[in-house]
Amino acid sequence: MSASLALFHPLVRRWFEETLGPPTDVQERSWPRIAAGEHLLVSAPTGTGKTLTAFLWALNQLMTGAWVGGEARVLYVSPLKALNNDIERNLLSPLSQLEAAFEAAGEAHEPVRVMTRSGDTPSRDRQRMVRRPPEILITTPESLNILLTSQGGRSMLRGLETVIFDEIHAAAGSKRGTHWVTAVDRLVPLSGEFQRLALSATARPLATIARFVGGYVMQPLDEHAREAEYRPRPVEIVTSERTKRYALAVETSGPQLADTTAPLAAEPGEDAWETLARELRAVVEGNRSTLIFANSRRTTERLTRLLNEAADDGVAYSHHGSLSRELRSVVEQRLKAGELRSIVATNSLELGIDIGALDEVVLVQTPPTVAAAIQRLGRAGHRVGETSKGRLYPLFERDLLIAAVVAKSVLEGAIEAVTPIEGALDVLAQVILSMTAAEPWEIDALYSFLRTSYPYHRLSRRQYDLVLEMLAGRFADTRVRQLAPRITIDRAAGTLQARPGAAWTVYMSGGTIPDRGYFSLRLADSLAKIGELDEEFVWERRLGDTFSLGAQNWQVRSITHSDVLVSPARRSAAMAPFWRADARNRGFFLSRRIGEFLRVAESLLAGTDGRERLHELLTAEHAMSAEAATRLVDLLERQRESTGIALPHRRHLVIEHAADATDQTGGRQLILHTGWGGRVNRPLAIAVAAAWSERSALPLAVEAENDCILIGLPEEVAVTELLEWVRPDNLETLLRSRLQRTGLFGGRFRENAGRALLLPRSDAKRRVPLWLTRERAKKLLEAVVGYEDFPVVVETWRTCLQDTFDLDAVKQVLDEIARGEIEISETTTSSPSPFAAGLVWQQTNRLMYEDDVPDADSGGISRTLLQELVF
């Protein structure tokens, strides 16, 4: 008998053995620790039974009465609402089987109820669970924070035994993760200490994630202690010895690929999409069930339409965040039941939703990270010991290069590190408002308690006081309504409490996901919600227009302030909607691996039989088909031929002097082939522009993306001199002088002001247009720009310099250039080389952040505050 199963009730043990067989290695090692009450981070590949590992002991305790029922004992939190509904469904099945086993044996058992609480939960169900809480409550980070703001919600959470963090990697490195873990820490005063179980397949580094999940225990205050003392809450790490196996192939489709990184503008035409769709249809027809991933909602909708156009019956259905929950749920259930051949999805199905056995996963365009690729591929072969089968179809030439590196990284298990965000003042403002709306707090006690959360353990008293002052109305003299007092501070008593209406503000505008001002898409006859549309797409529509969404064509019948009313249209060629999104900044981890691959490729191509040797390497170690390998070798050789010098790589910076396609007078531009990723290239480009402005009154045009920096020089200057102007020791000064005047800063300020509840919604049912939110954010920034310590401006600096940029990597490459460890070569081309094509296309999209460019000039942000947070 399994030693771990011996811990369970005999009927639970028998059910498991008869239904599932022997435990997996991760279950065998986890259950004794779970039974002992230890906090755990369980890291194991998909298909190793992590979720049941976390739940089975709780089911055992609840059914046997070891934990008294009648109130919430287990809280399961995941970052995806669809995953929550899936967990509820999959818990009900084993629960009913266990109940039947107890009844068949004539043994009494306690009832166990499972319910989900999310933004989609009907109000009657919310009221019912407050009156009679379920033993197992399933929710999202946002809904948990709402529950903690209300008295009814708090009353449900006073008897918790276990809190489960599922897919912790998906949010740990974002402000959503900050919101999530602080909410869990806020449960301690309600429930006392409870067990924490975190689950992930791709969280790295494990020790950091374990500390993030655990937080800190505040030691009892000694009467002589000047401040609180803390000890880390110990979280043990359990990893699986099982290595995930992949059958992965990087393929190509047809004779043409797009020759830039532009996902739309530089496509070779509809023929290439048709060719890709034919290949995908063949894959789908060869499988029982296929899951196709794309990186954008527009690509998802386009592929769905093309896959279905040549079929008598729909073979593919869309699944993404802009489709209603009801439609997504139906699609999931139909695929699981074997009624659908394929789903085309974005990352909405990247996490572990159970959609049944999948024969194969197809990736259309390389996922943005290695971790995302592993999560997506892991959806196939999801059962214990199975191999995950997948194909990757790059969408454009540069994507071939990225695909080769990501494929090898997947096979090697090389995953990006997750860095939890610390000290986010915008989220802090929301948390404080929620906490003081629920009950009054002593000022000092609240500060001490907040520091029990990992993200705020190093929060300085000055930062805390600044947020309190903002919420208490210190900046109300600006006459901006959003800066009116939200809390009341009694200095004499040393207490604070939210003013009336604060809880409503949290309910209406809480959370950390920025509001994009989407229109609701509804049926004209019943007003049932179908999904959401980007406002720019809606602005371009007219009554009678037809578009496709979710494997169905729709005709526009009416457009109101908040809704687009449609009716089904007959099947015909129709456009796919688009949703605007910010550019993705590739991290230095993957960028470095791409640079190292290019160094190897250059050494091979420079030698005898280089083409053949590189082709062999790509097929042997990078999972590339012969055709894909040939295409990539062709691309690399064309790049070498175009520039006449070696490929840019990790130790070789190529500077290309090329004609400026936007200058009719024959002007020229510099293209720096860095390959360092957007988190390095973007701050470096801003710093170069700032250094230029110190020396010349002429404007410098600068563009940056993941692989290149483009500089339009208005006058001659030596490139080496230009690079010498930016150094590790003046990087902060240059960024301080320039960043706050960029659209990037304005966009981040808008998002942070929304998280700090300074741009609240007054009506949950009425859409706030994105253009209006932008204008409100600009006026707010203009009103406070004169203050050196306005918390949301300070937080915007921290967001840009720490979360958006990788300044450590910027300084590293600047040091390597200064020490001569990175060779610099210059070349002149008559037209941009193949590696530069994507950036040249991006020039036409230069106004991406234009609407967020601040109207106010740069303010005098406190340097000491900035150093406290970042440098």
Side-chain angles (χ1 to χ4, degrees), residues 40 46 143 202 218 264 294 296 301 319 333 408 425 439 499 545 562 601 629 641 658 686 726 738:
L40 293 188
T46 54
S143 290
T202 57
M218 187 165 54
L264 300 173
S296 72
E301 288 294 337
H319 191 290
Q333 289 303 300
K408 185 176 183 182
L425 301 184
E439 58 184 343
R499 293 189 173 214
D545 281 359
S562 300
E641 181 180 353
I686 293 171
V726 182
R738 185 85 174 187

Side-chain angles (χ1 to χ4, degrees), residues 282-354:
V283 172
V284 169
E285 290 167 1
N287 294 327
R288 290 174 306 160
S289 57
T290 306
L291 180 55
I292 302 170
F293 280 106
N295 286 356
S296 72
R297 286 165 286 186
R298 180 168 192 170
T299 301
T300 296
E301 288 294 337
R302 187 170 197 172
L303 288 173
T304 301
R305 173 177 63 83
L306 291 171
L307 284 168
N308 289 332
E309 279 181 355
D312 295 332
D313 298 319
V315 298
Y317 280 75
S318 301
H319 191 290
H320 54 76
S322 288
L323 289 169
S324 70
R325 176 183 63 89
E326 292 78 10
L327 286 180
R328 294 197 307 268
S329 181
V330 168
V331 169
E332 294 160 18
Q333 289 303 300
R334 289 190 63 191
L335 184 69
K336 186 174 181 179
E339 298 172 10
L340 293 181
R341 300 291 295 276
S342 65
I343 293 179
V344 187
T346 58
N347 60 356
S348 59
L349 282 180
E350 184 176 300
L351 303 183
I353 297 172
D354 182 8

